[in-house]
Amino acid sequence: MHRVLRLIILVVTFALLLSPSLVALGPLVRRFVPNYPAVRDLGVALAGLGVLLMIWARRHLGHYWSDKVEIKANHQLISTGPYARLRHPIYTGMLLGIAGTALAVGEWRGLAAFVLLLTNYVIKASKEERILRQKFGPAFQEYERRTGFLIPRLRMP
């Protein structure tokens, strides 16, 4: 049931972003940023960075990646590459991509899509972390201490 709900949230998120005729509902199509080329370019750049982060994280995770929340056979805790600072870099990359797209679109519907997907990923990532905490115990707790959930934790000297 949760999987179906997450898929519905994804469909609504992308409908909000990419189909203005489906969401021509008053305030959702109003602009929250000026319609300037520099704003659109910044949005496109952020979206591109988000996609690159997702690709890097997915490749780095290798065969441990799954669309479902599950532990694989001989599962290892990955804490290198993008996982050295972030526990959920794939979600962070997707959110950065959506935020950049929202900025490029410039309408409130983009921010609504971002908030919807953020809520979805916080719930899913929290579930993943409960499972990883059970599997890896103190090693995962140490990993949590030194990494950020969706925003990188920067180490201070």
Side-chain angles (χ1 to χ4, degrees):
M1 181 63 179
H2 290 263
R3 188 173 170 87
V4 171
L5 182 58
R6 284 197 325 268
L7 289 173
I8 291 169
I9 289 171
L10 282 174
V11 168
V12 171
T13 297
F14 285 102
L16 283 167
L17 281 175
L18 305 174
S19 300
S21 60
L22 290 178
V23 292
L25 304 171
L28 287 179
V29 294
R30 290 194 182 121
R31 298 195 65 78
F32 71 94
V33 292
N35 191 11
Y36 297 144
V39 171
R40 280 192 307 278
D41 293 347
L42 176 60
V44 169
L46 289 174
L49 287 173
V51 169
L52 290 174
L53 177 57
M54 283 190 304
I55 291 169
W56 180 31
R58 169 60 184 87
R59 290 183 62 109
H60 196 78
L61 198 54
H63 71 277
Y64 296 119
W65 180 85
S66 174
D67 182 38
K68 295 175 260 168
V69 179
E70 65 182 3
I71 297 291
K72 304 270 187 165
N74 302 315
H75 205 105
Q76 300 293 312
L77 182 61
I78 306 299
S79 60
T80 57
Y83 294 88
R85 304 248 185 214
L86 283 167
R87 294 192 301 279
H88 303 281
I90 295 173
Y91 299 157
T92 299
M94 176 65 99
L95 289 166
L96 186 58
I98 297 298
T101 303
L103 188 60
V105 168
E107 297 174 2
W108 286 104
R109 63 190 170 93
L111 290 182
F114 176 82
V115 169
L116 190 60
L117 197 61
L118 174 64
T119 302
N120 181 49
Y121 281 157
V122 165
I123 291 167
K124 186 177 181 190
S126 296
K127 181 179 178 183
E128 289 175 3
E129 291 200 354
R130 279 192 303 276
I131 291 169
L132 291 168
R133 203 173 290 113
Q134 288 173 343
K135 168 74 176 166
F136 296 108
F140 187 77
Q141 290 172 337
E142 170 60 22
Y143 177 63
E144 279 182 299
R145 188 189 62 72
R146 59 185 168 77
T147 58
F149 184 71
L150 292 170
I151 298 171
R153 179 161 297 154
L154 303 176
R155 295 185 188 132
M156 296 297 177

